[in-house]
Amino acid sequence: MTYPRIVHFLRQGKPDQLVTVQGWIRTKRELKGFTFLEVSDGSSLQGLQVVIDLEIVQLVDSVRKCHTGASITVSGVLATSPGKEQSIELKAQSLIIHGESDPGSYPLQKKRHSFEFLRTIGHLRPRTNTYGAVFRVRNACAWAVHQFFQEQGFLWIHTPIITASDCEGSGEMFTVTNFNLGQIPKNPNGSVDYSQDFFGRPAYLTVSGQLQAEILAMAFTNVYTFGPTFRAENSNTSRHLAEFWMIEPEMAFCDLEGNMDLAEAFLKYVFKVVLTNCSADMEFFDARIDNSVLAVADNIINNEFQRLTYTDAIALLQKADRQFEYPVEWGLDLQSEHERYLAEDLFKRPTIVTDYPTQIKAFYMRLNEDGKTVRAMDVLVPRVGEIIGGSQREERLEVLEKRINEHGLSMNQYWWYLDLRRYGTVPHAGFGLGFERLVQFITGMANIRDVIPFPRAPETIEF
RNA sequence: UCCUCGGUAGCUCAGUGGUAGAGCGGUCGACUGUUAAUCGAUUGGUCGUAGGUUCGAAUCCUACCCGGGGAGCCA
């Protein structure tokens, strides 16, 4: 049997209402005549205070077994609470303990724990205030992503997780194989004989669904992916995961301006939904995690994003009255310190840098008239840095072929990608957004490993 | 992968060559309806691992393992 969730009673519960709730004990406070339990079922940051009058004899034995972490079902009547921290509470009449929790060994205490420690107990950390708030906000974000695109007529498409395209670009790929790793078939020259493997050729976990998304955009006009993505890069940072979720819209009949408009509208939309649906959680982040969370949200929703070209950005960086560790020179990629200066210090708002030099961007980005830059865009935000990377795609067959050659890539690997330019090509554009970075940005959480329930990173796969 | 800081009680940390500590937690007790409850008592250790220097090492040296922060790569 399913009872209404605790959040329902906190919002709409009426005094004298007879109710039953189920959840896990967060804290227990004992006095001579009363015991107070705070019970959470994950539906809200705030738990329900359960008051147990120890004069109700049949409850005394149960109460003795109640400790932090135990799972219970409580029935009783709601009452207006005389306490300051809550407006309503539950006066218990019956109490069932489903699973006890030994207070001597249960690792979660009433005090504040470090995130490093909580990462070592990934199976219990969702029961804490912070991770509860994070995963509720993460859920709201995911829901907002779908709602945003669906309202705009985008088709949600599922691009493959296993792929053969060893495409140029993002970092190392994980190999997918069915070989017995102790006995890998070899060719006479010593190389691996992939013809005997499951797919008959090398296969990998996807690093991006973009190329396949372009296929579907050429049939459905506006599409988006939202699914897992994998990078085998040995990155040990607070912004990288080996397995993360990426959102990649792709739009036919769209140029870079349309792409930027979409990215900006998208971020504003998600922030608005989260502020509306998770207001208590967002206030918690602002109070306990990073006191700029609400100000940043307000800044995103109410300001136009700054847009400028890479060339202009270089000029501004060269004029900055500040020493950078890395050189600023046209043709070199922007470093983290440069991006942070632009978004955090100079403009103090999300900043979109466009039209990067050809040589530092991918082959599929559309070449500008100047022949030196491509229609790329990076959206830079305070704290997190690059949250979105995108471009208008090269839709001209002969230009694309030339660029594939220049990048030293093999033409026959991209035969179907090139076909899209042979048959009904159109200007199109899209971007990729790291979902965990979005959640990081919204919540103010410093480490990306704390915004995904089960982080995957080098040496990190326990849970 | 590189740089850097760190690893001491269940947790957060102090201890820089001479008898292993505090706060929190747990346990026991007290207590006007408490809410990081409060008060009193008490419990708790392979000082990351393996070597080395020394009369003596948590402390100094070497190697390795693990974690944080920064960088690169990127989303």
Side-chain angles (χ1 to χ4, degrees), chain A residues 148-162:
Chain A
F148 174 80
F149 286 118
Q150 295 294 328
E151 280 176 5
Q152 305 221 9
F154 281 61
L155 212 68
W156 182 26
I157 57 165
H158 301 105
T159 50
I161 288 168
I162 301 174

Side-chain angles (χ1 to χ4, degrees), chain A residues 254-261 354-355 375-377 390-392 429:
Chain A
C254 182
D255 60 13
L256 194 68
E257 277 66 36
N259 207 17
M260 288 190 280
D261 290 344
T354 63
D355 301 289
R375 298 245 73 189
M377 67 172 206
S391 67
Q392 183 172 338

Side-chain angles (χ1 to χ4, degrees), chain A residues 136-168:
Chain A
R136 276 187 299 274
V137 166
R138 185 182 167 106
N139 169 68
C141 284
W143 190 73
V145 166
H146 284 301
Q147 187 160 275
F148 174 80
F149 286 118
Q150 295 294 328
E151 280 176 5
Q152 305 221 9
F154 281 61
L155 212 68
W156 182 26
I157 57 165
H158 301 105
T159 50
I161 288 168
I162 301 174
T163 175
S165 38
D166 177 12
C167 45
E168 180 256 12

